[in-house]
Amino acid sequence: MPRLQLNSRTGTGVATDFPKDLHVALERYNHRETEPKWQSFWTDGKCFEAKEDFSRPKYYVLEMFPYPSGRIHMGHVRNYTMGDVIARFRRACGYNVLHPMGWDAFGMPAENAAIERGVHPKGWTYDNIATMRGQLKSMGLAIDWSREFATCDPSYYRHEQAMFLDFITAGLVERRVSLVNWDPVDQTVLANEQVIDGKGWRSGAAVEKRELAQWFLKITDYAQELLDALTGLDKWPDKVRLMQKNWIGRSEGLTFTFELEDANGKKLDEGLTVYTTRHDTIFGASFCAVSADHPLAKKLALHDPLLEAFRKDVAALGTSEENIERAEKKGFPLHVFARHPFRKDVKLPVFAANFVLMGYGEGALFGCPAHDQRDIDFANKYHLPILPVVAPRGSNANTFQITTEPYVEKDGDNAVLINSEFLDGLSVSEAKVEVARRFEKMGIGKRTVNFRLRDWGVSRQRYWGCPIPVIHCKSCGIVPVPKSQLPVVLPEDVTFDKPGNPLVHHPTWKHVTCPACNEKAERETDTFDTFIDSSWYYARFTSPHDAEAVDPVAAKYWLPVDQYIGGVEHAILHLLYSRFYARAMTKTHHANADEPFASLFTQGMVIHETFKAVNGEWVLPSDALHKDGAWVHANTGEPLTVGGVEKMSKSKRNVVDPDTIIASYGADTARWFMLSDTPPERDIEWTEAGAEGSWRFTQRIWRIVNEIAELPKSAATLHGNGLTLRRLTHRSMAAITEDLNNLRFNRAISRIYELSNAIGPNLSVVDKPPDLSGALREAGETLVLLMAPMMPHLAEECWKLLGHTEAVVNTPWPRAIAELVAVDEVTIAVQVNGKRRDEILLPKAMDRGMLEARVFELESVKRMTEGKIIKKIIVVPDRIINLVVTDQ
RNA sequence: GCCCUUGUGGUGGAAUGGUAGACGCGACGGACUCAAAAUCCGUUUCCGAGAGGAGUGGGGGUUCAAGUCCCUCCAAGGGCACCA
């Protein structure tokens, strides 16, 4: 028998051909012939094309659609395999399944490729799509390809533009000036992630802060609703819900206004409004601080060059650099003072400070150093008093002191107010209520809620994105492009030889006439954030060819997505934007499902060993060779060091190419490996040994099915030979159904191993009685159907071999016979004082008295209880009996 | 700094508060073979010859019974990060 050479490490990764003179066809399963054959069968039969059918329950399963970066990677293989198993399983269970695929096709990598390689973003993108589509098809996915689209298709983004216009009408959009990271060399806005050490990632130029008018979607209008609705998303991971909750960041506090006076004690016209969540500590206040961008600081800076210099300093520090530097608290005295609302003699100096954010609350705060880390740092630097006003219950108010570490006990009953006049003795929460009550009565403050969530800035100064459909007119201002003129199509004749957005440099594109006054005007040259594209694609899939963005009938039938699968890296942005978008689409009557994804699953990453050469360069796993217990380079033979097991990434070169794997092992093997052993939410390590193990299992199934196919056909019975096998067969059906319903693929697979392990010994029985043959055939057929969602090609081939004319894809999911799932004998563990001492096989649901009698006959029990007193006997029916004994 | 998650054999991992280690990988032994590969049959938590004992990151607790619940500490991973 020729050996199949399976070594992708040597770089060939190709199976040797099967000699034709041997009868290997029956012995070896040949995925390279079988897989394309069944893929054509499914395609030709339009097996996975979905249609609305109101008489059947629907199931919409969706994996996060890929960015067409070039080639698929193992992370895609894992993601789409999981979705595919669900799609095939639900389909077999009788659901009308929608399982579409598309491309998140706008974005910067296409422009980078254009700049670096001189290719056009469009050509680059569609070429990648063609490659990746082919790769996905080689995986044998049960996808309705008739619904495919790319977000860079004008037929997609025209609806995005129309919807944006509707959003404007509905008051969901705002245009305002905001600060951005500006790269003066590339003349473009940079995302925070693209600013490294204060410099542009590509140009290396010092990044500036620049004020730019931009479009915002008013997601903050929905902050409370998005927060509240998280509770209802009980099929989402708690982790993701918590991340969104923290991101939205609701806080309840108090907004109130200090009276201000100048250095001479003269009251100023305006006051200083601050936001706080610790109004209980008002008697511990020792200063106020405002943001460098606060109107008060701006106004005073007009006559104070030093203050203006300080403001510039703070602005230059930017946002991203601070994290690295752990920027020191810095303040600049404004020489104005805030009058304490309850103590007329106390005057708090007001500073402009670098740690106060203009975007949160009122951009101003009062500092209570004794009970806040940041405030105490600031107070110690500028020699401000530290007045403790909260202390652990029972401590001495006169001697309780704080110097460098704040006391931050917030809630609960173990902290009390001290040194705070009418608040003394109250708990923190009681004091908050009292202070709020007094401020409201005095008319200087009120309870307010603040959110951390900011509005969503969607303008990007980029070419490869959806054009924002507005026109800027000198006399009419901002004029929406009339819907009849949509789509605003991206021009293709652009160049990337100049820095900045090619749309700005384009000779004609932006020059238009104003739709309102017919005078000369200019198009908006900004494009949308690509997160907009991915915020509604799931809805477009329900009616991808409709003349409107979403066909209401289709949307009503298919939405929401029943199962959404993707990486946890999208836990916040994409998933929060989509939730907002769903609401915005409801408001503008484009759809009516407020929550887009009923159930969410976040799968783990694919990780792999890393290899490093002597010169420090990373080495591809396919170039690493295990030789005499050490790793060497396959070509040069030089020794390699094995690094950590990390996420597959191009930079570490620890990638395995799906094409190579599918060519050498087959799609079914790759799919099987991705689902085996590791729970889907955890990171899975790709190993050669594991892949070979999965491959061997495909061969084992093939052998088993071949043998079963040759057995004489006879009925399985409820008695006699093969009953044990039948019980396992039916229990496997029940358990695997449950596992797949709960996405516990690794558990389902272990049960398939168990079933196949049980078939083996029965097959080697010589002169099988007819009822055993019947049980074996049933077990084999069940095995094939149960594994079909994971290994669809092998399943079809086996099913045919077993004599079926209807394909597995059109065969219903097997249903367990209750009588065979039920157990009639149970093994009961016998414990003495909670320790297992023996076990006993008994009929199910045995009477307690009889059970005890049988247990006391056991030698082990006699030995352990001899001369002791039985205090208590605990019986858990059909599971355990525990004898509690003592010496006395 | 704050918040969250996870710690189980050589390894990936099973286990509604009820027999810890299912199933896979690896390893070891055997069968088949001139031999190897493939395949099949065993063994594989640790200590102990055995009876037996110990054991789910460490320590404590609740319970007849704890991998599972509670407290605490340690380690790894993740999220947020001047949010007043």
Side-chain angles (χ1 to χ4, degrees):
Chain A
M1 193 67 63
R3 187 196 172 199
L4 202 59
Q5 306 238 316
L6 288 160
N7 195 348
S8 64
R9 285 203 196 286
T10 59
T12 56
V14 173
T16 51
D17 283 327
F18 305 109
K20 292 209 172 63
D21 54 327
L22 294 174
H23 297 287
V24 288
L26 204 68
E27 302 289 337
R28 291 273 195 218
Y29 170 71
N30 183 349
H31 67 264
R32 285 194 288 166
E33 285 173 13
T34 309
E35 292 186 346
K37 181 178 80 186
W38 288 106
Q39 285 162 19
S40 305
F41 174 85
W42 298 324
T43 307
D44 296 347
K46 300 185 192 302
C47 290
F48 307 121
E49 291 189 13
K51 284 195 193 71
E52 290 91 74
D53 176 353
F54 288 85
S55 68
R56 288 163 68 204
K58 64 93 183 181
Y59 199 89
Y60 183 0
V61 55
L62 183 67
E63 302 94 70
M64 290 180 186
F65 66 161
Y67 178 80
S69 56
R71 304 178 61 75
I72 66 166
H73 52 69
M74 280 299 180
H76 291 127
V77 173
R78 192 179 194 201
N79 193 186
Y80 299 126
T81 298
M82 288 180 193
D84 202 53
V85 171
I86 296 166
R88 287 176 180 273
F89 167 65
R90 292 285 173 173
R91 180 190 155 87
C93 289
Y95 287 91
N96 187 22
V97 169
L98 173 59
H99 185 213
M101 179 61 70
W103 309 94
D104 188 13
F106 274 134
M108 288 213 329
E111 284 186 59
N112 294 339
I115 294 162
E116 284 160 15
R117 280 177 263 166
V119 294
H120 193 281
K122 181 178 172 183
W124 182 84
T125 302
Y126 282 100
D127 284 352
N128 288 346
I129 287 173
T131 305
M132 292 171 74
R133 183 195 297 118
Q135 290 184 296
L136 290 180
K137 286 191 171 177
S138 77
M139 286 177 62
L141 301 174
I143 281 171
D144 180 355
W145 286 103
S146 74
R147 292 175 186 252
E148 175 189 0
F149 61 76
T151 56
C152 63
D153 299 337
S155 59
Y156 179 79
Y157 68 67
R158 68 176 301 153
H159 300 296
E160 192 164 301
Q161 293 172 337
M163 220 185 294
F164 181 74
L165 300 178
D166 292 339
F167 284 8
I168 293 178
T169 313
L172 291 161
V173 182
E174 221 169 68
R175 186 169 170 84
R176 66 170 110 90
V177 170
S178 86
L179 279 177
V180 295
N181 302 309
W182 180 259
D183 185 321
V185 171
D186 280 355
Q187 300 205 1
T188 185
V189 167
L190 298 178
N192 282 339
E193 305 79 53
Q194 297 164 342
V195 182
I196 298 154
D197 290 336
K199 298 191 172 95
W201 68 324
R202 187 170 293 283
S203 68
V207 169
E208 299 167 2
K209 288 273 158 190
R210 187 176 271 210
E211 287 194 326
L212 222 60
Q214 308 214 78
W215 292 101
F216 285 85
L217 290 181
K218 290 163 78 178
I219 190 171
T220 54
D221 284 0
Y222 290 83
Q224 188 66 51
E225 199 185 322
L226 289 166
L227 178 68
D228 291 343
L230 283 174
T231 323
L233 294 176
D234 54 353
K235 290 182 198 158
W236 280 39
D238 289 341
K239 179 181 163 185
V240 173
R241 290 196 286 173
L242 184 68
M243 280 164 74
Q244 292 211 350
K245 182 180 176 223
N246 292 339
W247 186 262
I248 294 167
R250 180 193 154 98
S251 85
E252 291 178 18
L254 191 74
T255 304
F256 69 95
T257 306
F258 285 103
E259 286 181 2
L260 290 180
E261 61 181 50
D262 65 16
N264 305 318
K266 183 171 165 258
K267 183 171 179 285
L268 301 178
D269 290 341
E270 80 267 57
L272 178 65
T273 302
V274 299
Y275 173 73
T276 181
T277 57
R278 289 303 305 272
H279 30 295
D280 55 301
T281 64
I282 184 67
F283 286 97
S286 64
F287 67 95
C288 286
V290 301
S291 161
D293 286 319
H294 192 277
L296 181 65
K298 278 186 176 170
K299 185 179 137 195
L300 293 171
L302 294 176
H303 310 288
D304 186 345
L306 288 176
L307 175 57
E308 185 55 28
F310 176 81
R311 291 186 63 238
K312 285 234 168 76
D313 249 25
V314 174
L317 221 75
T319 48
S320 53
E321 196 183 6
E322 293 198 32
N323 305 339
I324 306 154
E325 302 248 344
R326 288 184 169 276
E328 200 185 348
K329 310 277 171 287
K330 278 188 198 156
F332 190 93
L334 298 180
H335 308 296
V336 296
F337 299 85
R339 291 174 174 167
H340 194 283
F342 295 125
R343 284 184 172 156
K344 289 300 160 202
D345 54 323
V346 173
K347 290 165 185 181
L348 310 172
V350 181
F351 291 81
N354 64 346
F355 62 86
V356 185
L357 305 172
M358 195 55 222
Y360 189 79
E362 301 294 324
L365 54 86
F366 79 79
C368 176
H371 307 293
D372 184 279
Q373 184 66 51
R374 192 194 46 205
D375 292 348
I376 207 168
D377 293 346
F378 191 80
N380 281 327
K381 177 155 183 179
Y382 294 100
H383 311 293
L384 299 162
I386 300 170
L387 314 162
V389 288
V390 184
R393 195 174 284 279
S395 51
N396 186 331
N398 297 320
T399 56
F400 185 70
Q401 283 210 334
I402 283 167
T403 52
T404 54
E405 282 303 305
Y407 176 65
V408 286
E409 189 69 32
K410 282 176 188 163
D411 299 304
D413 212 32
N414 35 5
V416 289
L417 274 285
I418 58 170
N419 304 328
S420 296
E421 302 186 0
F422 54 86
L423 298 175
D424 283 354
L426 298 183
S427 74
V428 167
S429 43
E430 288 165 345
K432 280 182 185 172
V433 172
E434 179 60 18
V435 170
R437 197 185 63 79
R438 292 205 184 210
F439 276 172
E440 283 174 345
K441 199 173 160 196
M442 289 155 76
I444 58 167
K446 66 169 200 235
R447 276 168 258 230
T448 43
V449 171
N450 256 292
F451 294 94
R452 209 193 73 104
L453 184 69
R454 300 271 73 92
D455 274 334
W456 175 15
V458 296
S459 300
R460 296 291 181 271
Q461 293 69 40
R462 298 270 163 211
Y463 166 69
W464 194 233
C466 171
I468 299 177
V470 295
I471 288 165
H472 299 269
C473 172
K474 279 207 176 90
S475 34
C476 311
I478 287 165
V479 184
V481 174
K483 279 193 178 174
S484 60
Q485 293 177 23
L486 296 182
V488 177
V489 181
L490 272 182
E492 288 181 26
D493 52 336
V494 290
T495 55
F496 293 87
D497 48 356
K498 276 184 264 183
N501 183 351
L503 294 177
V504 178
H505 311 137
H506 192 279
T508 56
W509 185 76
K510 69 178 174 185
H511 302 293
V512 290
T513 54
C514 170
C517 68
N518 271 323
E519 293 299 313
K520 275 189 180 173
E522 282 195 6
R523 276 196 197 289
E524 168 92 38
T525 54
D526 286 353
T527 53
F528 281 135
D529 180 3
T530 57
F531 274 112
I532 290 195
D533 311 337
S534 55
S535 288
W536 70 284
Y537 78 108
Y538 68 90
R540 182 67 182 166
F541 273 139
T542 64
S543 48
H545 311 297
D546 199 80
E548 294 297 316
V550 183
D551 167 29
V553 177
K556 190 167 173 26
Y557 179 71
W558 291 113
L559 295 181
V561 174
D562 295 279
Q563 182 64 61
Y564 196 39
I565 311 172
V568 73
E569 66 272 19
H570 294 111
I572 297 171
L573 295 182
H574 163 58
L575 289 166
L576 192 60
Y577 291 151
S578 300
R579 296 183 58 222
F580 158 70
Y581 232 81
R583 287 164 172 78
M585 284 166 77
T586 302
K587 189 170 183 187
T588 51
H589 310 292
H590 286 284
N592 59 357
D594 277 356
E595 286 298 338
F597 314 118
S599 180
L600 172 71
F601 188 84
T602 55
Q603 101 272 9
M605 298 181 298
V606 181
I607 56 176
H608 197 282
E609 272 181 317
T610 50
F611 299 98
K612 214 173 202 176
V614 183
N615 63 8
E617 278 178 17
W618 299 102
V619 174
L620 286 168
S622 52
D623 289 336
L625 196 64
H626 198 62
K627 204 175 169 186
D628 305 326
W631 288 99
V632 294
H633 197 288
N635 300 333
T636 65
E638 66 169 328
L640 301 176
T641 45
V642 179
V645 180
E646 295 178 44
K647 179 185 181 178
M648 282 190 181
S649 73
K650 280 180 187 160
S651 60
K652 296 269 171 82
R653 306 196 79 195
N654 59 338
V655 290
V656 173
D657 180 31
D659 271 0
T660 312
I661 297 301
I662 290 173
S664 44
Y665 296 102
D668 284 337
T669 297
R671 295 166 60 116
W672 189 256
F673 179 91
M674 281 303 180
L675 301 164
S676 306
D677 297 344
T678 305
E681 69 278 9
R682 288 199 211 167
D683 291 350
I684 190 170
E685 185 185 353
W686 178 272
T687 62
E688 192 83 359
E692 281 178 19
S694 294
W695 180 82
R696 278 200 300 273
F697 186 66
T698 62
Q699 298 301 331
R700 188 156 140 226
I701 294 281
W702 184 242
R703 278 195 305 277
I704 287 175
V705 171
N706 268 280
E707 285 194 46
I708 287 176
E710 287 180 5
L711 293 178
K713 288 195 181 174
S714 51
T717 60
L718 288 173
H719 309 281
N721 302 292
L723 185 58
T724 311
L725 181 59
R726 293 206 73 197
R727 286 191 191 283
L728 182 67
T729 300
H730 286 264
R731 263 176 233 150
S732 299
M733 286 180 208
I736 289 171
T737 305
E738 189 64 17
D739 289 335
L740 292 184
N741 269 321
N742 294 302
L743 278 57
R744 300 184 345 152
F745 308 115
N746 57 319
R747 198 71 186 86
I749 281 183
S750 73
R751 291 188 213 274
I752 287 174
Y753 277 111
E754 277 176 309
L755 181 57
S756 74
N757 288 346
I759 291 173
N762 283 296
L763 268 178
S764 45
V765 172
V766 283
D767 297 329
K768 293 176 200 51
D771 49 2
L772 180 57
S773 292
L776 273 166
R777 174 163 281 270
E778 180 189 54
E781 298 199 334
T782 304
L783 185 70
V784 168
L785 292 178
L786 293 179
M787 75 177 192
M790 293 84 134
M791 301 206 281
H793 313 85
L794 176 62
E796 293 286 9
E797 194 67 14
C798 288
W799 197 240
K800 193 177 154 200
L801 183 66
L802 287 166
H804 294 277
T805 48
E806 186 64 270
V808 172
V809 74
N810 295 320
T811 302
W813 193 248
R815 295 192 58 152
I817 298 171
E819 191 181 344
L820 287 166
V821 174
V823 274
D824 54 5
E825 275 195 320
V826 288
T827 309
I828 292 178
V830 180
Q831 294 184 339
V832 178
N833 285 344
K835 280 198 184 290
R836 195 189 76 95
R837 294 297 171 183
D838 211 334
E839 61 182 36
I840 185 168
L841 188 67
L842 292 172
K844 196 180 167 169
M846 191 186 232
D847 170 79
R848 182 172 172 143
M850 292 193 29
L851 168 67
E852 289 181 18
R854 291 288 299 273
V855 163
F856 280 108
E857 286 168 15
L858 292 169
E859 281 304 318
S860 53
V861 171
K862 285 181 185 162
R863 202 166 60 234
M864 294 304 296
T865 55
E866 204 174 8
K868 304 199 173 170
I869 298 164
I870 312 281
K871 274 185 71 179
K872 201 171 174 185
I873 300 175
I874 313 264
V875 175
V876 181
D878 297 333
R879 298 217 76 146
I880 218 159
I881 177 165
N882 187 15
L883 312 175
V884 185
V885 304
T886 57
D887 284 332
Q888 297 302 315

